[in-house]
Amino acid sequence: MVSTIGDYARFAQMVLNGGTLDGRRYLSPKTIAYMGSNISGRIGRGAGTLLPTRTRFGFGLGFAVRTEAGVSFAEGSVAR
């Protein structure tokens, strides 16, 4: 995907708004929840792991998600 930083900022704002932007719904609340939930299982300690702590994170649709509290390299909520 190729875009501008402005377009990505609008996309990120839409995600933060729960799927709406400028009064229009683009993604359902269920889709937004799925994007932020761990759908990959635990990411192991193998070569090529991109996440800093390697085993305490999973991956949703486009986002890394924490699977354990208190181990974040950034602000966010714990995936259940």
Side-chain angles (χ1 to χ4, degrees):
M1 182 170 133
V2 177
S3 189
T4 66
I5 190 68
D7 286 342
Y8 185 78
R10 287 178 54 80
F11 169 76
Q13 186 63 59
M14 183 265 307
V15 172
L16 287 172
N17 292 346
T20 62
L21 184 67
D22 300 332
R24 185 172 176 192
R25 175 158 299 282
Y26 292 94
L27 297 173
S28 72
K30 186 175 181 179
T31 299
I32 293 293
Y34 195 56
M35 290 172 74
S37 63
N38 182 18
I39 61 171
S40 68
R42 291 176 79 87
I43 296 175
R45 290 188 180 268
T49 299
L50 300 175
L51 298 170
T53 58
R54 298 187 181 132
T55 60
R56 297 176 180 163
F57 292 85
F59 208 73
L61 297 176
F63 303 96
V65 294
R66 292 187 308 188
T67 57
E68 296 177 23
V71 295
S72 180
F73 60 89
E75 294 297 319
S77 61
V78 176
R80 306 245 182 251

